[in-house]
Amino acid sequence: MVAQNYAVDLNKPLVFQVGHLGEAYQEWVHQPIASKEGPRFFENDFIEFLTRTVWWAVPVIWLPVVCWFIHNSVQLGLSCPRVALFVAIGILVWTLLEYSLHRFLFHIETKTYWGNTVHYLLHGCHHKHPMDGLRLVFPPAATAILLFPFWNLVKLMSTPVVAPALFGGGLLGYVMYDCTHYYVHHGQPKTEVPRNLKKYHLNHHFRIQNKGFGITSSLWDRVFGTLPPTKEGAKSM
């Protein structure tokens, strides 16, 4: 199903085209098009609709769920200081998951038809069209499906009293991640910390795409040695 010297037509739905690129897919997908207008993915209008999500849908849908889980731990007798502790642990665990998924799954190298197609849907589309504002956050329907196995895993690894607070913290970390991700692409930061975060992430998109996998912070890049070099360091390499 891979075609030699295949040329993608950006005016047609992309998802089922990119697989034909074969080994050329990796080079193609990492040549970003910095347009705010995203491409069409599918011919079917309903499936196409499901691929587009406004950023504010994430906090509107998931913050009430976060509060409900945390409230459950309080109702079960977990003290407020311990609730805060386990919520913080949940957020920290999320940042590691965020880093790991981005580095080891979203940046996996593919060359087969279906490998390229799945990769494009997961993350390749974001690197090809990094400023597409309707495909920057994870679709709520997909998030809802993934929450079930993660919730069951948290229940297996902790007590019934602690699990809701821990899971609520992880989900809160996800909300912070998606909102931060949208902001670093489309926000106009006025202060140093968010300005540096924006610069750090856009550096990953437009300069060194195999470094700088953290979105909400550079913590795990520092721990695992994937910090991008400075411009001065890059010139000397």
Side-chain angles (χ1 to χ4, degrees):
M1 297 180 75
V2 172
Q4 293 294 322
N5 301 317
Y6 185 83
V8 170
D9 186 346
L10 295 175
N11 295 313
K12 295 179 180 179
L14 290 185
V15 168
F16 294 120
Q17 291 191 68
V18 298
H20 294 297
L21 289 168
E23 294 182 355
Y25 167 76
Q26 289 299 322
E27 181 180 358
W28 176 84
V29 83
H30 289 107
Q31 295 174 344
I33 299 173
S35 169
K36 292 184 179 180
E37 295 296 323
R40 188 175 180 92
F41 276 16
F42 296 99
E43 287 279 2
N44 183 278
D45 289 337
F46 179 69
I47 299 176
E48 178 70 13
F49 168 77
L50 292 178
T51 70
R52 299 173 182 266
T53 308
V54 291
W55 75 268
W56 49 261
V58 172
V60 166
I61 292 171
W62 298 118
L63 284 182
V65 180
V66 169
C67 293
W68 184 79
F69 273 101
I70 294 173
H71 178 71
N72 277 355
S73 279
V74 175
Q75 289 290 94
L76 290 169
L78 196 64
S79 66
C80 288
R82 295 190 71 202
V83 166
L85 172 64
F86 286 111
V87 167
I89 291 172
I91 293 172
L92 182 64
V93 170
W94 164 260
T95 64
L96 178 58
L97 182 61
E98 165 199 317
Y99 171 88
S100 301
L101 288 173
H102 192 187
R103 180 180 179 183
F104 297 110
L105 178 61
F106 294 168
H107 278 266
I108 191 172
E109 293 194 359
T110 59
K111 60 183 179 180
T112 65
Y113 177 85
W114 287 110
N116 292 346
T117 301
V118 171
H119 180 269
Y120 182 78
L121 277 171
L122 277 177
H123 194 62
C125 59
H126 178 53
H127 269 266
K128 189 64 181 178
H129 293 87
M131 306 309 290
D132 182 354
L134 292 177
R135 293 195 177 98
L136 269 169
V137 299
F138 209 58
T143 304
I145 293 170
L146 292 174
L147 286 182
F148 285 99
F150 279 113
W151 168 236
N152 287 321
L153 180 63
V154 171
K155 286 194 296 183
L156 282 175
M157 297 176 63
S158 59
T159 67
V161 176
V162 168
L166 195 60
F167 183 78
L171 186 55
L172 178 58
Y174 157 72
V175 173
M176 294 165 62
Y177 151 78
D178 247 353
C179 292
T180 300
H181 192 201
Y182 185 88
Y183 182 76
V184 296
H185 277 270
H186 290 283
Q188 300 298 326
K190 305 296 183 184
T191 57
E192 184 176 2
V193 172
R195 191 184 298 125
N196 288 341
L197 198 59
K198 181 182 179 80
K199 186 186 299 182
Y200 187 80
H201 184 60
L202 294 186
N203 179 66
H204 169 75
H205 275 284
F206 294 102
R207 197 166 68 89
I208 306 177
Q209 298 182 1
N210 62 348
K211 301 284 185 181
F213 298 105
I215 309 296
T216 50
S217 81
S218 60
L219 170 64
W220 298 109
D221 284 308
R222 296 178 187 276
V223 171
F224 295 115
T226 52
L227 274 175
T230 61
K231 287 184 179 181
E232 292 75 14
K235 288 178 183 177
S236 65
M237 288 176 66

